[in-house]
Amino acid sequence: MNIEKNPIDPKEIEEMKLLLKEEVGFLPSGPGLDRLLTSAEWLRVDDKYVVIEMGKTCPDIYILKDGIIRVWDFDGAKERTFGFGLPGTIFESKHSFVMHGPSYYQVETCCPSTILRIKENDFWHTVEDDPSFAVFMLHNAYGELYSHEFKESTINNGTAKERFEAMIKYRPVILEKVSQKIIASYLGITSEYFSVLKRRLLKRGESHKEK
């Protein structure tokens, strides 16, 4: 893993801001966001790097610049994947950030990724000093709630086949870069059944092309 306190190339700051604008819908007008992005730790990590460890207190804020993260827990018998994050995602341990308790979920990378780590105190100072940044984070919070409801109405809804088809429609990049075992745990099916569905849908797609 390579950790950089400050990115040398200012283009990376601008790239990160474009991702955040696409994710949230706008950028704050004040100086707070630039200050946070500049002072953040930039983590360039491989796949399966644990960003937030379950059972540990981690109140910091993270932003994904490139790569994919997944959020999961362990029910005593198997891993259960609850969600993925793509570039532009702002994330944290809710238990640690809100209540300073140990994280329930584990967050780790699914492929080589770049992640910004922002210290909790730096984040709150920026919220207090820059009202436009506070509004920006409020919009992000509501967007996160919407995404959760949208996921429940699409990818988490219907039969295994319908959930798989929704994944293909709405999150195709995850199918391309994330392992079959992890995607199966997200869809709530076995890896074996995932393989069956994938073969059937690929075969159906080839049939449509022939027509």
Side-chain angles (χ1 to χ4, degrees):
M1 180 184 70
N2 181 25
I3 299 179
E4 299 179 10
K5 180 63 177 178
N6 299 310
I8 297 174
D9 189 349
K11 289 182 180 179
E12 289 198 282
I13 297 289
E14 295 305 313
E15 290 171 358
M16 187 72 260
K17 288 168 65 176
L18 288 175
L19 287 172
L20 290 171
K21 183 177 181 180
E22 183 176 349
E23 181 75 9
V24 179
F26 71 99
L27 290 176
S29 58
L33 180 61
D34 283 273
R35 186 167 64 240
L36 282 180
L37 296 180
T38 302
S39 63
E41 290 182 329
W42 289 56
L43 287 65
R44 307 180 196 279
V45 300
D46 295 325
D47 65 329
K48 298 183 180 179
Y49 172 76
V50 177
V51 185
I52 298 173
E53 184 175 356
M54 66 176 67
K56 299 289 183 67
T57 301
C58 179
D60 295 333
I61 302 291
Y62 297 87
I63 308 175
L64 183 65
K65 181 179 182 294
D66 55 65
I68 299 174
I69 56 165
R70 73 157 174 147
V71 181
W72 63 277
D73 76 350
F74 186 71
D75 69 357
K78 62 181 182 300
E79 294 180 4
R80 301 183 299 182
T81 300
F82 286 92
F84 297 95
L86 299 177
T89 298
I90 302 172
F91 63 98
E92 68 286 312
S93 163
K94 302 296 190 295
H95 281 193
S96 296
F97 181 69
V98 177
M99 300 301 295
H100 285 88
S103 179
Y104 173 72
Y105 290 122
Q106 180 135 317
V107 181
E108 64 183 31
T109 57
C110 298
C111 60
S113 305
T114 301
I115 300 168
L116 282 69
R117 178 165 58 198
I118 297 170
K119 295 298 183 182
E120 177 192 19
N121 288 339
D122 293 342
F123 174 83
W124 284 120
H125 287 157
T126 302
V127 169
E128 294 170 0
D129 295 342
D130 185 351
S132 69
F133 178 76
V135 172
F136 171 80
M137 288 305 302
L138 179 62
H139 277 262
N140 180 75
Y142 276 112
E144 185 176 352
L145 291 172
Y146 164 76
S147 295
H148 176 76
E149 186 172 331
F150 179 78
K151 184 180 72 173
E152 291 299 314
S153 68
T154 54
I155 297 174
N156 287 358
N157 191 34
T159 65
K161 176 175 174 292
E162 290 170 338
R163 297 197 302 274
F164 187 89
E165 290 175 332
M167 171 72 79
I168 293 175
K169 180 178 180 180
Y170 296 110
R171 309 299 289 276
V173 66
I174 292 175
L175 290 171
E176 297 170 3
K177 296 187 177 182
V178 178
S179 73
Q180 175 174 307
K181 178 181 177 182
I182 291 175
I183 297 175
S185 74
Y186 180 59
L187 296 174
I189 59 179
T190 64
S191 294
E192 292 76 16
Y193 189 44
F194 178 89
S195 296
V196 171
L197 286 175
K198 186 176 181 180
R199 285 197 300 270
R200 287 176 181 173
L201 291 174
L202 287 175
K203 185 176 181 180
R204 188 181 70 182
E206 291 173 355
S207 297
H208 287 166
K209 287 181 180 179
E210 291 175 359
K211 293 178 181 181

